[in-house]
Amino acid sequence: PLRPGCLITEGSRGEGGYLKSSNGERFMERYAPSLKDLASRDVVSRAMTVEINEGRGVGPDKDHIYLHLDHLPPALLHERLPGISETAKIFAGVDVTKQPIPVLPTVHYNMGGVPTNHFGEVVKVKDGNNDFVVKGLMAAGEAACASVHGANRLGANSLLDIVVFGRAVALRTKEILKPNTPLPPLPADAGESSIANFDRLRYASGSQSTADLRLMMQKTTQKHAAVFRT
């Protein structure tokens, strides 16, 4: 079964690691005859997904691929990929000097889902207005979605968020908030409804476990909304 993911660096392929499907084929030779396992991440991710979708994945559910590092000298693995070796041992129970690592493609960086305008003000749909500003609520960084890029990107977006939208939020706050503006009175039961909602979920006794539901959602999104989106 799929497990919570840990990032396995592309350096694993750079150091000589290669991918294999359930029939033992180094399939990247078919998808990228020249670069093979050193092809770019998008090519490798698509190839892995095709192999899994066509039934050549490994494991009981045929839902992942094997990354082999076991042909490399243990001294090299210890020197160049110590973190990967440790991660594989802890989370997959794999000794990379003797066994392959179970892997599958995923997105490296996900932007958040709180919609904002270019000032960093949170917006929502209200009375047909898609850009209704939620007064006093702002978002920037990984929680926000300012709609300037897609979901599958790298950490440069974090820098963009800080330099551009973090600054925009500060400037907008300065513009709309007057110094010494009093805070509205806080209800005596502030936060109680949130705690009650949390407890409702925490102490629920339904017929379906959270773990089973999470696994179903993980498999569904991995199959239909990870690399290929239709």
Side-chain angles (χ1 to χ4, degrees), residues 17-224:
Y18 58 81
L19 299 164
K20 274 189 176 182
S21 57
S22 58
N23 57 15
E25 179 194 10
R26 291 185 59 174
F27 56 86
M28 283 309 303
E29 296 178 355
R30 280 191 287 111
Y31 295 92
S34 298
L35 294 175
K36 301 178 184 178
D37 291 274
L38 292 176
S40 61
R41 70 183 71 186
D42 58 316
V43 173
V44 175
S45 293
R46 287 196 297 269
M48 293 172 70
T49 301
V50 169
E51 291 296 302
I52 293 171
N53 288 347
E54 294 185 354
R56 293 185 291 276
V58 299
D61 297 327
K62 296 184 177 295
D63 58 2
H64 55 279
I65 296 293
Y66 279 151
L67 171 63
H68 284 268
L69 301 174
D70 47 309
H71 60 293
L72 300 173
L76 184 145
L77 293 172
H78 180 72
E79 178 186 355
R80 304 283 185 84
L81 300 170
I84 296 304
S85 302
E86 182 180 24
T87 296
K89 184 68 174 178
I90 293 173
F91 293 100
V94 167
D95 180 349
V96 296
T97 65
K98 302 175 182 177
Q99 302 163 289
I101 306 173
V103 296
L104 72 167
T106 186
V107 292
H108 192 295
Y109 182 89
N110 271 323
M111 298 307 298
V114 180
T116 69
N117 57 24
H118 64 283
F119 296 117
E121 296 172 310
V122 173
V123 296
K124 68 175 184 178
V125 178
K126 184 175 182 180
D127 300 329
N129 179 8
N130 293 333
D131 297 311
F132 179 84
V133 174
V134 180
K135 186 177 179 180
L137 183 61
M138 295 184 170
E142 294 186 26
C145 179
S147 299
V148 296
H149 35 53
N152 188 2
R153 294 294 186 269
L154 297 182
N157 284 353
S158 297
L159 185 61
L160 171 64
D161 291 331
I162 293 169
V163 173
V164 177
F165 293 108
R167 182 173 183 270
V169 165
L171 293 176
R172 184 62 170 167
T173 300
K174 179 182 178 182
E175 180 181 326
I176 64 177
L177 183 63
K178 293 180 172 56
N180 301 316
T181 299
L183 294 174
L186 192 66
D189 62 347
E192 291 295 331
S193 61
S194 297
I195 294 175
N197 186 50
F198 176 75
D199 284 344
R200 178 180 62 82
L201 298 173
R202 183 167 58 152
Y203 297 116
S205 57
S207 59
Q208 189 172 32
S209 74
T210 303
D212 290 341
L213 182 60
R214 179 194 180 280
L215 181 61
M216 181 182 69
M217 292 174 64
Q218 182 182 7
K219 287 187 173 183
T220 300
T221 53
Q222 183 66 41
K223 184 173 179 62
H224 299 292

